[in-house]
Every structure is written in structure tokens, then in C-alpha cells.
Amino acid sequence: MDRILVTGALGQIGSELVINLRKKYGDDRVIATDIRMPADTTLRDSGPFEFLDVQDEHHITRVMQQYKIDTIFHLAAVLSAIGETRPNIAWQVNVGGLYHILEAARQYKCALFFPSSIGVFGPSTPVEDTPQDTIMRPETMYGVSKLSGELLCDYYQKRFGIDTRGVRFPGLISYETEPGGGTTDYAVEMFFEAIKHKKYTCYLKPDTSLDMMYMPDAIKAMIDIMEADPQKLVHRNAFNITAMSFSPEILAAAIRDYIPDFVIDYEIDPVRQAIADSWPDSMDDSAARAEWGWNPKYGLEAMTSDMIEKITKRLYRTT
Ligand code: NAD
Ligand code: SER
């Protein structure tokens, strides 16, 4: 990785990935792009930023030429809950945008990281120990677009030899940047509300289990898979990866170890509940472990302890 382009760089993942990539590969070698301007000074002042809409193929070409890009982390997307309210935009950004990025990768011979999601699975997929290769009939526009993305990346790799790689992320938990409108966002909201108000109203049922991961593990996964020996990758574009599986009531109990008077109640949102019900409870990530050494550091306890410490510091500036 010499000159790296990150699309959707101001989102929940991108805002942390860019800083990590700049530390590892050099500030000027990581070009952050988004359709918003950065408010955060750390990202804005640490390296190049370009306004870039992934639906604008001509602008993508100009940026590729200007910075002589050889690796792309393509994060720009519309997530699951927003995707159900605006399915046409979700399709245009998630599939149309990826198509333009794949074409740019083909033209400029770039490696490409594409983040897929647990959203690619559907109600007919086995929910426990969801296998790497299994039934995939997603019923959300997000899932349909992400599964199309996996297939497009496979196609470009086989047909044109483009070095496409990717993972199926579960819900990601972090404190730097708010999540962007997904179904798993409740987990992040719960931490902030517990610390600020000792109370949270959850939009998913108490026993809805979903795979989750703490952001430091997600960042490491993206860099590790892009640095992995390509000869060892069989499932290049869509590795199941997970770090923990929990439900709202289990997360609330873990938070109560630190905030004993934290109270949770429930007002179910039928749209997000239906999405969560169609996703796995826990994925089998043995292919990622075997093919490129995936091994997450944070489980529920370690993640909870770190989130509470970091959010408290952020909100109340304790040392
Ligand atoms: P996010 O919603 O926080 O950020 C997405 C970014 O894309 C935003 O900053 C947005 O401004 C930008 N964007 C939207 N439309 C764009 C366009 N047309 N052109 C350029 N930029 C555009 O999302 P995230 O959580 O950072 O997710 C990044 C990627 O990871 C997405 O592809 C998502 O599907 C995938 N993913 C995320 C999670 C998660 O829990 N966060 C889980 C699974 C997969
Ligand atoms: N966290 C994401 C969402 O809920 C999963 O892809 O949309």
C-alpha cells in the first residue's frame, strides 16, 4: 500500500481508519474523501482531504490520477435502517458507487477493500454458527446491495485480476464517531445514554442477539486482510468475522457492572426489529481465522470496560 484512497472517510469506520492508516503508512499517503466536509480537526489537519461523491465517476478518475492511488478502502455506503427509508439511494450509492470504484481499480490497477455486512444474510440463513458459505436471501435493500457488492468484487477479481478483498462486518461499536443509521446502532447509543442519563429506551427486543465487534478489532481486520498473503485467500471478498454476540439485555447487564443503577426499557421499532430478526445470532468465522489469522482482542467484558472509560473521559474530561 503506497497511495491510499478512503471513500466515506468521515463515517463511523472511516474517521478511525484514516487516522490509523496515516500513522502506519504516512500522513500524506492517505487521501480521505467524503460528500461532507470534515468538522474534526484531527482528520482535517493530518493529511489530504477531497470532497468526492462515489456516484461521480469522472471525479473519481481525477482523484485517482492526481494522487496516483494504488489501494482503495471503499467505505461510502447507506446503512440498513436508512436504506429501508430510501432504498433507491441505497442501491445507487451501494451498488452504483461500488461499480465506479471497481472500474477505477481496474483502470489504475488498484487493490480494493470492500466492507460487506451481516446484512447479506436473510431469514432462511442458519442463525446459529452461520457458515461462511450458506443460503443468502437478504430481504433489505442494504442486504441486497451488499450481496451484489460481494458478487461484483468476486467478478472483478476473477474476470480482470483485480486484487479485491473484504469482510462481512457485524455491528461495530465505537465512541469516536456516531454510527450512520444502522440496525446495530443501539449498542453505541446504550453506552452514551447509560453514562449521561443512567437510562436508555431500546428499539430492539431484550433477547435479540446479534454479532458485534469493537472498532480497534475492525480496524486491525481491514489492515490485516489487505496485507495478507493473497495465495492463502480462498474467500477473498466476504469473510465472516465476529468478536462477540449479545442481546440488549446482556449488554445492559454488562454496563450495570459499572453503573449499577442503569435502567433499560423497550419501545420496539418494527422496521429495525424485522431487520435484526433476519440476521444471524452468531457467525462462524473459522475461514478468516484459518486463511489470514483473524483473532479479535476484545470480547464483551473488555469492550464494555474500555467504552465506559473512554466515553466518560470524552464527556467529562477526567484524566
Ligand atoms: P457511516 O454511515 O458511518 O459512513 C458512511 C460515509 O459515507 C458517511 O460519512 C457518508 O457521508 C458517506 N457517503 C454517503 N454517500 C456517499 C457518496 N455518495 N459518496 C461518498 N461518500 C458517501 O458508515 P460506516 O459505519 O462507517 O460504514 C462504512 C462501511 O462499512 C459501509 O460500507 C458499511 O456498509 C460497512 N459496514 C459497517 C458496519 C457498522 O456497524 N458500522 C457493519 C457492517 C458493514
Ligand atoms: N451495523 C450495520 C447496520 O446495522 C451492519 O451492516 O446496518
Side-chain angles (χ1 to χ4, degrees):
M1 290 193 260
D2 193 33
R3 306 281 292 181
I4 302 168
L5 175 74
V6 181
T7 70
L10 301 185
Q12 187 191 8
I13 301 178
S15 55
E16 297 201 39
L17 177 68
V18 166
I19 302 303
N20 278 274
L21 289 174
R22 284 182 176 160
K23 268 189 204 141
K24 191 169 168 64
Y25 300 102
D27 288 346
D28 291 340
R29 288 165 59 187
V30 181
I31 293 69
T33 69
D34 206 297
I35 48 167
R36 302 180 278 146
M37 294 309 281
D40 173 46
T41 49
T42 320
L43 189 140
R44 195 182 57 206
D45 299 342
S46 61
F49 179 86
E50 292 281 338
F51 180 94
L52 179 64
D53 184 339
V54 295
Q55 297 180 90
D56 183 346
E57 59 196 289
H58 302 297
H59 196 182
I60 294 172
T61 304
R62 286 201 295 279
V63 170
M64 298 292 291
Q65 285 171 344
Q66 182 184 346
Y67 291 99
K68 301 190 175 18
I69 300 296
D70 65 21
T71 305
I72 307 172
F73 286 81
H74 175 53
L75 306 181
V78 173
L79 273 74
S80 61
I82 295 184
E84 285 313 283
T85 61
R86 306 173 74 191
N88 55 335
I89 305 288
W91 177 263
Q92 284 163 16
V93 174
N94 297 3
V95 182
L98 173 63
Y99 175 74
H100 295 319
I101 290 291
L102 278 163
E103 275 297 298
R106 180 166 78 91
Q107 200 179 341
Y108 295 97
K109 299 186 177 21
C110 290
L112 171 66
F113 174 82
F114 168 70
S116 188
S117 161
I118 48 172
V120 294
F121 299 115
S124 50
T125 302
V127 287
E128 297 289 346
D129 276 335
T130 305
Q132 174 66 45
D133 302 305
T134 186
I135 302 165
M136 300 171 82
R137 306 285 298 171
E139 292 187 350
T140 61
M141 180 50 90
Y142 181 66
V144 169
S145 67
K146 283 285 163 185
L147 183 52
S148 305
E150 289 185 7
L151 296 172
L152 271 173
C153 287
D154 278 347
Y155 179 80
Y156 272 71
Q157 196 269 319
K158 290 201 176 85
R159 176 78 169 77
F160 302 118
I162 306 303
D163 186 3
T164 55
R165 307 181 187 195
V167 298
R168 292 179 184 136
F169 276 132
L172 297 182
I173 298 169
S174 65
Y175 54 86
E176 292 283 358
T177 303
E178 268 183 49
T183 302
T184 57
D185 297 8
Y186 88 83
V188 175
E189 292 170 9
M190 196 190 296
F191 278 104
F192 277 90
E193 293 305 304
I195 292 166
K196 284 196 274 192
H197 307 299
K198 299 186 177 184
K199 185 174 182 336
Y200 177 62
T201 301
C202 186
Y203 55 77
L204 294 183
K205 291 180 189 165
D207 60 350
T208 306
S209 289
L210 289 167
D211 285 289
M212 299 276 180
M213 184 182 297
Y214 197 29
M215 191 59 84
D217 279 328
I219 302 289
K220 185 167 185 312
M222 286 185 269
I223 295 174
D224 283 357
I225 194 175
M226 292 309 282
E227 288 191 336
D229 176 357
Q231 305 299 326
K232 294 192 177 151
L233 301 181
V234 180
H235 301 87
R236 297 186 68 99
N237 290 306
F239 283 95
N240 283 0
I241 55 169
T242 185
M244 58 194 105
S245 168
F246 59 73
S247 62
E249 64 189 355
I250 289 174
L251 180 60
I255 291 175
R256 249 180 244 116
D257 285 343
Y258 299 85
I259 308 170
D261 46 352
F262 169 55
V263 178
I264 184 165
D265 62 8
Y266 297 88
E267 267 173 36
I268 306 311
D269 168 12
V271 174
R272 283 178 288 185
Q273 184 64 51
I275 296 175
D277 288 342
S278 75
W279 289 355
D281 288 1
S282 61
M283 283 189 288
D284 170 7
D285 60 6
S286 50
R289 288 173 187 267
E291 291 175 39
W292 52 277
W294 165 241
N295 184 18
K297 183 173 161 208
Y298 290 88
L300 176 60
E301 251 176 50
M303 178 275 290
T304 303
S305 158
D306 204 57
M307 280 289 280
I308 295 212
E309 185 195 321
K310 300 282 170 42
I311 296 172
T312 306
K313 266 190 194 153
R314 250 179 110 86
L315 293 176
Y316 306 113
R317 295 182 194 283
T318 57
T319 48

